[in-house]
Amino acid sequence: MKTAAAGAALLLLIVLALFAAATSILTGSGTPGGVACAITPEMVSRTAGGPVAASPAATGLASTLTLDGEQQTHAALIVQIAMERGLPARAAVIAVATALQESKLRNLTYGHLDSLGLFQQRPSQGWGTREQVLDPRYATGTFYDRLVKVKRWERLPLTQAAQAVQLSGYPDAYAQWESLAQRVVDALAGTCVTVIPGERVAAVIAYAHAQLGKPYVWGAEGPNAFDCSGLTMRAYQAAGISIPRVAADQWRYGPPIPRGQEQPGDLAFLRMEADGPGHVGLVIGGGQMIHAPNKRTVVKIDTYHRHDLIGFSRPAAQARTGRTDPR
């Protein structure tokens, strides 16, 4: 009993420390070298002072869920274990979203067949004994053990990464929790990132490059086909950044970048229509972009120096400020 009480007290201290870190980052005292944070004051106030709410863009159950003390404690443990293992924040986002879908972040003693715990792991499928999978630390650790064995898991859409571990009958269901999971992890871990330099821009471009040759299908978001904005949305998600779904909204999401100042990772917008650009591609440098043009062709590399070029935006700058451009 004393050991359990001591463990609970330690976890509470960790949670409080993480909240304090997130708050200090927002005020500037915890931000090293001017690095920007992917969190907003409103999100942290909701997390530190009460339940965490899903973002307005969430759908289904995710749009109505708030996290109570038990759920926040489990989320904090998931983030803590990722940090202990030196895993990137993306691992914690995948794990939190998975636990939200499987158990609503509760350590359930029941489930489909012999599924149990935060991740509804099955003893009969080699996840461990009943006692082990009902231990949140053990369950989280085994989830990460399997996640890191998935090839290029950091660059996969969340649904694919979670499904590779869970083998769920409803793999697309994980997607509805991504926004909330990202917000929870940001608030708990105080995630601060520079705006799409280095490895993040590499992850965005690498994801898009891996889709070359796949067919264009209107409304498709992968993994087997894409439309133009479905491709750019998924590429940014591969780097842990959520952007709007359609080209016109992606245009308004980030600040405009003057022609000649575009950089790899920026978005190039083309073909102005009544409500905004009708086409978008991902800048890769040298005047070229990766894009999904139309149903007559496939995802490919093309020049963006065309007569219908509108301009460029930098979505990562929007992720930093949290403000929508008024265009």
Side-chain angles (χ1 to χ4, degrees):
M1 291 293 290
K2 289 183 179 179
T3 301
L10 176 60
L11 182 56
L12 177 60
L13 288 174
I14 291 170
V15 173
L16 293 174
L18 289 170
F19 287 148
T23 303
S24 69
I25 288 167
L26 286 169
T27 59
S29 60
T31 306
V35 173
C37 298
I39 47 181
T40 66
E42 294 80 6
M43 176 176 55
V44 171
S45 66
R46 281 197 297 270
T47 307
V52 180
S55 73
T59 59
L61 286 173
S63 65
T64 58
L65 184 76
T66 58
L67 302 190
D68 59 23
E70 176 191 358
Q71 293 168 308
Q72 289 186 38
T73 297
H74 288 144
L77 178 65
I78 291 171
V79 174
Q80 175 196 345
I81 293 172
M83 294 170 67
E84 290 172 356
R85 293 180 173 219
L87 295 173
R90 181 65 175 169
V93 173
I94 295 168
V96 170
T98 300
L100 280 165
Q101 171 60 25
E102 299 293 348
S103 69
K104 304 302 181 289
L105 277 170
R106 301 192 188 281
N107 195 29
L108 301 179
T109 58
Y110 58 88
H112 177 65
L113 299 177
D114 60 336
S115 300
L116 300 165
L118 286 177
F119 297 93
Q120 290 289 279
Q121 295 159 341
R122 298 181 60 188
S124 66
Q125 300 298 312
W127 284 94
T129 66
R130 175 184 174 87
E131 291 72 22
Q132 286 175 325
V133 299
L134 284 173
D135 177 349
R137 174 171 281 276
Y138 175 90
T140 302
T142 54
F143 179 89
Y144 286 139
D145 287 343
R146 297 196 182 193
L147 176 66
V148 297
K149 293 178 181 178
V150 176
K151 186 177 180 180
R152 297 166 65 90
W153 66 267
E154 307 98 319
R155 298 178 180 178
L156 291 176
L158 185 144
T159 51
Q160 292 184 30
Q163 174 65 359
V165 176
Q166 296 293 107
L167 302 179
S168 169
Y170 305 96
D172 293 338
Y174 297 115
Q176 67 177 317
W177 303 105
E178 182 165 7
S179 177
L180 177 57
Q182 183 71 59
R183 292 154 65 87
V184 169
V185 172
D186 285 345
L188 288 174
T191 302
C192 284
V193 295
T194 48
V195 179
I196 236 175
E199 61 192 43
R200 281 208 154 188
V201 70
V204 173
I205 294 175
Y207 179 89
H209 195 274
Q211 314 315 313
L212 291 173
K214 292 186 178 180
Y216 174 99
V217 174
W218 185 85
E221 301 174 358
N224 299 317
F226 296 88
D227 67 8
C228 66
S229 57
L231 174 64
T232 52
M233 179 188 72
R234 290 300 189 195
Y236 267 88
Q237 285 182 352
I241 296 175
S242 296
I243 65 174
R245 171 60 178 88
V246 300
D249 289 338
Q250 290 177 5
W251 168 248
R252 301 181 186 97
Y253 183 80
I257 302 299
R259 296 192 190 194
Q261 296 183 26
E262 67 272 15
Q263 299 175 3
D266 291 346
L267 296 182
F269 294 91
L270 306 103
R271 203 176 70 242
M272 182 60 81
E273 297 177 354
D275 59 348
H279 188 63
V280 60
L282 179 70
V283 175
I284 59 174
Q288 293 187 309
M289 63 179 175
I290 296 176
H291 69 145
N294 54 59
K295 64 183 180 182
R296 296 186 299 276
T297 184
V298 296
V299 176
K300 62 181 182 178
I301 297 174
D302 269 330
T303 181
Y304 53 74
H305 292 304
R306 303 175 2 183
H307 72 279
D308 58 349
L309 176 66
I310 300 166
F312 306 91
S313 75
R314 190 161 295 158
Q318 157 67 14
R320 174 179 58 187
T321 63
R323 292 191 297 271
T324 301
D325 191 82
R327 283 172 294 174

